[in-house]
Amino acid sequence: MSPIDVFRQIWNNDVMNLLLTSTNTYGAKLLNTNRPKTRNSRSREFKPITESELNKFLGLCILQGMIKVPIIRKLFSYNPFYYHPIFLHVLSGRRFEQILRCFNATPAVFDEQDRLHKVRSLLDLVKQNSNSVYSPCEALSLDESMLLFRGRLVFRQYIKNKKSKYGIKFYELTTHEGYILNLEIYHGRDRNQPKPGKTSKTEELVLRLLGPYLNKGHHVYMDNFYNSVSLSSKLLTYKTHSTGTLRVDRRSNPAVVINKKLRKAEHIWRKNKTLAYMSVSGRINGMYVR
């Protein structure tokens, strides 16, 4: 298959129709606003975009990610420092900025209480298509990532240890090769959500991400933010193995492993019927489910 064929498997007609309808609807809405418009304003007139223009726009957006420019309009100039022949050949700078201003993925009917309602439908379609065209191997990885974003957003995060300190946080389930199988966007604390019972919020998050892949014999690797004794035991009931680091203050940790004082390069491990624990140099360094 060619790269465009693979792209079409995920960004299929359903995704393109959603983007096309939502963008044209939002462009018409902006046109009907009562804001004052100058003679040369981009919002003075809006010509509905076609599927061909949408394909060109998405292609330029992908190409733009590999080119560094101070402002987008420089991509469409003849300045020798920024000139690229593809951009002016495909779309005019004015039309590209107009499509970018109106680019939208909000469906006609949505839940206003959902903070992600503007991207929820697009996200669900892309995840569904990604899972339908690819079957993962045994090893899976669970971690979070940050998408750089410094704009105004109520659930924007700041994590000092990340390369992109400000941005949108994603919880991702991937293959060992980095192919994303499932993800959730952190959109802040939901005050209306009932308090968790026996299952913590972190465990619920892991079970949601692993939902389509439970009872299939997968082996998931994760860090100490997600991993716990109770979670590993629950995953084992779903025929899913797990390996990961473990925080010392987590409940149900074996006391003999935690309290043992080790010298440098020493280790200690214990095992029960299903779980094995290991501590290296006084820290719990891993847990493996048999």
Side-chain angles (χ1 to χ4, degrees):
M1 298 178 68
S2 64
I4 189 63
D5 293 332
V6 177
F7 179 82
R8 290 299 183 195
Q9 291 294 321
I10 299 176
W11 291 68
N12 58 7
N13 292 333
D14 294 335
V15 176
M16 301 302 288
N17 290 335
L18 172 65
L19 295 176
L20 199 64
T21 303
S22 302
T23 301
N24 286 331
T25 301
Y26 188 63
K29 180 180 178 180
L30 290 178
L31 184 64
N32 295 329
T33 57
N34 296 323
R35 299 176 183 176
K37 302 179 180 64
T38 62
R39 179 185 299 179
N40 298 321
S41 173
R42 290 191 300 270
S43 59
R44 185 178 181 87
E45 296 180 359
F46 177 76
K47 179 182 177 181
I49 65 172
T50 62
E51 184 176 355
S52 176
E53 279 185 316
L54 182 59
N55 288 325
K56 294 177 181 178
F57 173 78
L58 293 176
L60 294 182
C61 286
I62 296 174
L63 180 59
Q64 177 194 344
M66 298 181 285
I67 303 174
K68 292 184 178 181
V69 291
I71 56 176
I72 294 177
R73 199 57 181 267
K74 293 290 185 181
L75 294 169
F76 300 88
S77 69
Y78 289 99
N79 188 323
F81 288 104
Y82 309 110
Y83 175 72
H84 196 291
I86 297 299
F87 287 88
L88 283 172
H89 178 73
V90 174
L91 280 178
S92 67
R94 189 178 184 86
R95 182 59 171 170
F96 181 87
E97 289 180 341
Q98 187 181 49
I99 297 176
L100 181 62
R101 175 68 180 87
C102 302
F103 190 69
N104 199 281
T106 308
V109 180
F110 56 87
D111 181 11
E112 295 183 356
Q113 301 297 325
D114 184 8
R115 288 179 174 177
L116 298 176
H117 66 269
K118 292 185 177 181
V119 296
R120 178 73 70 185
S121 298
L122 176 63
L123 188 63
D124 292 342
L125 283 173
V126 171
K127 288 194 297 183
Q128 177 182 344
N129 296 336
S130 299
N131 293 332
S132 64
V133 299
Y134 183 80
S135 297
C137 60
E138 179 186 357
L140 304 178
S141 175
L142 188 63
D143 204 353
E144 68 272 358
S145 66
M146 288 281 287
L147 175 66
L148 178 62
F149 182 77
R150 290 183 174 269
R152 293 179 296 177
L153 193 64
V154 66
F155 51 86
R156 189 187 69 172
Q157 294 287 295
Y158 170 75
I159 303 179
K160 64 179 181 179
N161 296 328
K162 296 291 184 180
K163 184 178 180 180
S164 302
K165 294 179 174 56
Y166 290 93
I168 304 171
K169 185 164 72 170
F170 291 80
Y171 300 108
E172 298 176 348
L173 176 69
T174 69
T175 65
H176 69 283
E177 299 172 339
Y179 185 90
I180 297 178
L181 300 171
N182 201 356
L183 63 85
E184 283 195 13
I185 301 176
Y186 177 76
H187 52 86
R189 182 179 299 176
D190 188 0
R191 297 181 178 180
N192 298 325
Q193 186 177 4
K195 295 183 179 180
K198 296 182 180 180
T199 304
S200 66
K201 291 184 178 180
T202 305
E203 292 179 2
E204 291 178 353
L205 171 65
V206 174
L207 293 176
R208 286 199 305 270
L209 291 174
L210 285 170
Y213 305 97
L214 296 176
N215 295 310
K216 295 183 179 180
H218 287 289
H219 192 136
V220 59
Y221 296 82
M222 48 192 163
D223 59 18
N224 58 23
F225 176 79
Y226 307 96
N227 199 18
S228 66
V229 175
S230 60
L231 175 61
S232 295
S233 300
K234 289 178 182 177
L235 290 177
L236 192 59
T237 62
Y238 293 107
K239 300 180 181 179
T240 303
H241 296 237
S242 64
T243 298
T245 53
L246 188 63
R247 292 184 180 179
V248 178
D249 57 351
R250 286 284 165 88
R251 295 180 179 178
S252 303
N253 290 342
V256 63
V257 176
I258 297 174
N259 300 328
K260 179 68 175 180
K261 293 184 179 181
L262 301 175
R263 297 178 181 179
K264 186 176 182 180
E266 286 186 343
H267 71 277
I268 183 175
W269 67 278
R270 291 292 185 272
K271 172 182 176 296
N272 60 16
K273 294 181 179 179
T274 57
L275 305 179
Y277 315 87
M278 176 179 291
S279 177
V280 179
S281 297
R283 294 180 57 190
I284 290 185
N285 197 40
M287 181 173 64
Y288 175 72
V289 181
R290 294 287 182 179

